[in-house]
Amino acid sequence: GHWVEYGVDPLWANSPAPYGQFWLLLSQGVSAITGDDPYVAAILFRLIALVGLALLVWSIPTLARSTGASAERATWLAALNPFTILLFISAIHNDALMVGLIAAGLALAIRKHPVWAVVVITLAVSVKPVAALALPIVGLIWVGGKYPIRELIKRWSQIAAITIVILIG
């Protein structure tokens, strides 16, 4: 007997969910598939976390190369270290998916796909709203190495519009 069997602490059970719509839909899907079996649910949630880890492994080399760092070393340090595996995979939490989506979005921005970057990071926002902190970075990448305020405001406005359309629509 532990919390997976008994449910969430009453403090959290009576609070509004701090998660976004995408995560709630994923959780609802896991619940629909697994019913009352917490062990199968834990496996499915770990599979979702593995998707986040796979996104990290895919995106970290692009992020590292953009700064002149070693892609291999950065991948090992960021995605394949024991702490990442322990905290992202075994902890049954959604941070792995959120961080993987953020990293993938930033990699897409670096690869000159800013609209897709916003879409992917907005999906991360829909896992956990704190991911919205990554959206202004896409604007900085989008305008390049110089940061004229007019261009930044234009890009940030476009990012906000895309994000709002996705989250509301």
Side-chain angles (χ1 to χ4, degrees), residues 87-112:
L87 296 174
F88 280 178
I89 306 306
S90 67
I92 312 176
H93 212 284
N94 59 4
D95 288 338
L97 183 59
M98 179 192 67
V99 170
L101 288 166
I102 291 170
L106 294 175
L108 287 167
I110 289 168
R111 291 178 176 191
K112 309 280 187 229

Side-chain angles (χ1 to χ4, degrees), residues 79-138:
L80 300 175
N81 71 69
F83 292 113
T84 301
I85 304 300
L86 176 69
L87 296 174
F88 280 178
I89 306 306
S90 67
I92 312 176
H93 212 284
N94 59 4
D95 288 338
L97 183 59
M98 179 192 67
V99 170
L101 288 166
I102 291 170
L106 294 175
L108 287 167
I110 289 168
R111 291 178 176 191
K112 309 280 187 229
H113 302 290
V115 174
W116 282 112
V118 174
V119 170
V120 171
I121 292 174
T122 300
L123 198 54
V125 171
S126 195
V127 170
K128 248 182 167 172
V130 70
L133 295 172
L135 288 167
I137 297 168
V138 174

Side-chain angles (χ1 to χ4, degrees), residues 12-13 28 30 34 44 61 64 67 84 86 88 94 100 102 107 126 129-130 132 141-142 160 162:
W12 300 110
Q28 184 179 24
V30 168
T34 62
L44 288 181
T67 65
T84 301
L86 176 69
F88 280 178
N94 59 4
I102 291 170
S126 195
V130 70
I141 295 168
W142 200 348
I162 294 167

Side-chain angles (χ1 to χ4, degrees), residues 8-9 11 21 30-33 40 44-46 52 73 79 84 87 95 104 118 125 133 138 146 149 168-169:
V8 70
D9 182 285
L11 170 73
Q21 198 60 29
V30 168
S31 178
I33 291 168
V40 176
L44 288 181
F45 279 118
R46 285 188 175 115
R73 180 174 280 178
T84 301
L87 296 174
D95 288 338
V118 174
V125 171
L133 295 172
V138 174
K146 299 174 185 169
I149 194 67
I168 292 175

